[in-house]
Amino acid sequence: MKIQGKMFIWLAVFILAMAIVYGYWSKEPAGTTALFLGFGLSIMIGYYLAFTARRVDVGAQDDKEADVADDAGEIGFFSPHSWQPLSLGIGGALAFMGVVFGWWLLYFSVPIIMIGLWGWVFEYYHGENRTQ
C-alpha cells in the first residue's frame, strides 16, 4: 500500500501546480475551484493510504519481484447480504426528487435514509448475523 499513497500524494502535487497555473492564466473561478477541490480529495486519499500503510503488513504490491499469485488469499470481510443499501438508495432518490419537485419530499426521504443508515451500521449487532 505504500506505492498507492505515494502515487496519490504526487498526483495531489501535480493537481495543485495545475490549479495554480490554470487559475493564473484563465481567471476562471469554477475550474480553479474544481482543481483545488481535486487537490484536496487527492491529498486526503494519499494521506490515508500512507497512514494506513505504516500499520499493516507489507503486501505483495510493495515487493518488486512478487508474482500475482503472491497476493492471493482472503482480502477482507464483505457483507454477503444486506438490504440496507436498497433503503439508502430509495431514500436518496426521494431526496434528490425533492430538490426537483418540492422540498416536501424530504419529509419522506429523511426517515428512510436514517432507517437505512441505522440498519447498515448496526446490522451485525442483532439478528442471525450477530456473531460475525
Side-chain angles (χ1 to χ4, degrees):
M1 280 229 290
K2 293 180 183 180
I3 189 69
Q4 288 97 341
K6 290 178 185 176
M7 284 173 50
F8 270 99
I9 290 173
W10 280 110
L11 178 67
V13 169
F14 174 75
I15 293 174
L16 179 63
M18 291 299 108
I20 292 169
V21 170
Y22 182 82
Y24 179 73
W25 269 356
S26 71
K27 310 258 188 300
E28 193 251 330
T32 307
T33 303
L35 282 169
F36 277 111
L37 289 173
F39 160 74
L41 179 64
S42 187
I43 200 75
M44 282 191 304
I45 294 171
Y47 175 76
Y48 171 76
L49 289 173
F51 182 79
T52 306
R54 289 187 221 134
R55 285 157 180 73
V56 297
D57 295 333
V58 177
Q61 68 266 26
D62 294 324
D63 185 11
K64 293 188 187 317
E65 297 181 12
D67 292 328
V68 174
D70 292 341
D71 208 18
E74 187 174 330
I75 296 174
F77 174 74
F78 301 98
S79 183
H81 59 282
S82 177
W83 288 95
Q84 308 312 323
L86 179 64
S87 170
L88 290 170
I90 291 171
L94 276 175
F96 282 108
M97 284 190 341
V99 173
V100 175
F101 296 115
W103 294 101
W104 57 271
L105 273 174
L106 289 177
Y107 291 119
F108 299 104
S109 64
V110 169
I112 295 172
I113 291 173
M114 297 309 283
I115 289 169
L117 189 61
W118 181 270
W120 206 0
V121 169
F122 294 110
E123 73 181 331
Y124 289 105
Y125 289 96
H126 60 82
E128 66 184 34
N129 297 323
R130 186 172 167 194
T131 59
Q132 292 185 359

